Amino acid sequence: MEKEDSKSKKAGGRLCCICNQRRAALKRPKTLEQICRECFYEVFEEEIHQVIVENQLFKPGERIAIGASGGKDSTVLAYVLSELNRRHNYSLDLFLLSIDEGITGYRDDSLETVKRNEIQYGLPLKIVSYKDLYGWTMDEIVRVIGLKNNCTFCGVFRRQALDRGASLLKVDKIATGHNADDIAETVLLNILRGDIARLSRCTSITTGEDGPIPRCKPFKYTYEKEIVMYAYFKRLDYFSTECIYSPNAYRGFAREFIKDLERIRPRAILDIIKSGENFRISTSTKMPEQGNCERCGYISSQKSCKACVLLEGLNRGLPKLGIGRSRGHNNDGRKDGKQINGTSIESKQCGTLDF
């Protein structure tokens, strides 16, 4: 009998630590528990359900746009929200909302995946494009600006494009696939950049409540590796290629650091998020005041929002207008940052690192 037990262990026959009935199929990156597929599906989905309920992310009858890129995070989010909506009777109307940045060989292929998801999950799909909204595609912008600052344009434009698409769908909220790894990276990046405004809100599970449409992150405590495992075991249809224009993005350095920390201590990701949640901004620190852009009406703490400034630069043949240190200047050349203890705190209401 002992020989049989030892043989089963050698053959990978360790039982699931939850049900003690089925053979373990994976080790959870978050907890290092060895569990079977069925139990993994159950705990993965239940954890997300608890996050939704405890944080009251949705109300019955709300219309929710799922930011769908075709990648693993948004595909799993669409699938899981659809399942939980039926199972727990959330009574939500779900929609897929995709942004076509105009990146040949990347976004055009990923949108085909989203179109298949539309059929697979029975969710209506809305696609809005940079070309229609701004008159430029990312391919055209990169030809002008190069690869150094292109992510700034894309992040700013995408944020506003999501809000515009959501307005067309008349939704109450936007659900995004930002996971625990993403949020931990953002905490570190905002510390490195000394960005007090974003640091104060980057761990919030719901943001933009003072803007046009609130955004929520059901995957706030969900590890990226577990999302990949879930998609793999469920055989979900998703697009796995990275953006061809972001190999040297600044966020990539933080991502590698987070992965190194995770290998040493799996809970490091959650610990960074918890630390970010516990940050308190001094009451004497004056934060940027939100208003509306005088040109397009979008939320902004400057006379012109970042998207309008970047777009003006492109249209005037000055693509670096609004990039880097110039972002705090008005058209009259005066710096519009606020001095706090001798340090300039500039408004950064949108951008590649802003959720």
Side-chain angles (χ1 to χ4, degrees), residues 122-140:
L123 301 178
L125 169 64
K126 177 68 178 178
I127 301 175
V128 294
S129 72
Y130 282 8
K131 189 68 174 179
D132 291 339
L133 293 177
Y134 310 116
W136 292 77
T137 66
M138 276 308 299
D139 285 342
E140 293 168 343

Side-chain angles (χ1 to χ4, degrees), residues 156 159 198 201 290 298-302 304-307 347-351 354:
V156 172
R159 179 176 179 80
R198 285 190 184 139
R201 66 174 184 267
Q290 297 288 8
Y298 191 72
I299 184 171
S300 174
S301 55
Q302 305 289 339
S304 297
C305 70
K306 190 64 178 290
S347 165
K348 300 170 183 175
Q349 87 289 347
C350 49
D354 191 5

Side-chain angles (χ1 to χ4, degrees), residues 11-66:
R14 182 172 295 182
L15 292 179
C16 169
C17 69
I18 295 179
C19 68
N20 288 316
Q21 295 179 352
R22 293 178 288 268
R23 183 172 296 180
L26 70 149
K27 181 187 287 187
R28 286 195 72 187
K30 181 188 278 187
T31 62
L32 300 183
E33 295 174 315
Q34 297 202 28
I35 60 178
C36 64
R37 292 189 186 188
E38 290 77 7
C39 286
F40 173 60
Y41 299 152
E42 185 175 339
V43 296
F44 182 89
E45 294 166 1
E46 181 61 21
E47 285 179 3
I48 295 168
H49 170 62
Q50 289 304 319
V51 168
I52 291 172
V53 172
E54 291 172 8
N55 293 277
Q56 299 179 338
L57 295 189
F58 309 120
K59 297 177 182 177
E62 284 189 326
R63 294 166 62 89
I64 307 298
I66 301 170

Side-chain angles (χ1 to χ4, degrees), residues 93-127:
D93 289 327
L94 301 176
F95 303 84
L96 297 178
L97 174 58
S98 294
I99 308 302
D100 181 3
E101 300 95 340
I103 304 176
T104 304
Y106 168 65
R107 184 56 71 213
D108 48 356
D109 291 339
S110 68
L111 285 177
E112 292 303 315
T113 302
V114 179
K115 291 174 184 176
R116 292 195 297 273
N117 293 158
E118 175 188 15
I119 299 171
Q120 293 160 354
Y121 307 148
L123 301 178
L125 169 64
K126 177 68 178 178
I127 301 175

Side-chain angles (χ1 to χ4, degrees), residues 197-224:
R198 285 190 184 139
L199 190 57
S200 67
R201 66 174 184 267
C202 67
T203 57
S204 300
I205 195 165
T206 300
T207 57
E209 292 167 298
D210 58 344
I213 299 173
R215 301 181 183 211
C216 62
K217 300 184 280 285
F219 285 171
K220 178 181 176 180
Y221 301 110
T222 307
Y223 278 30
E224 182 179 50

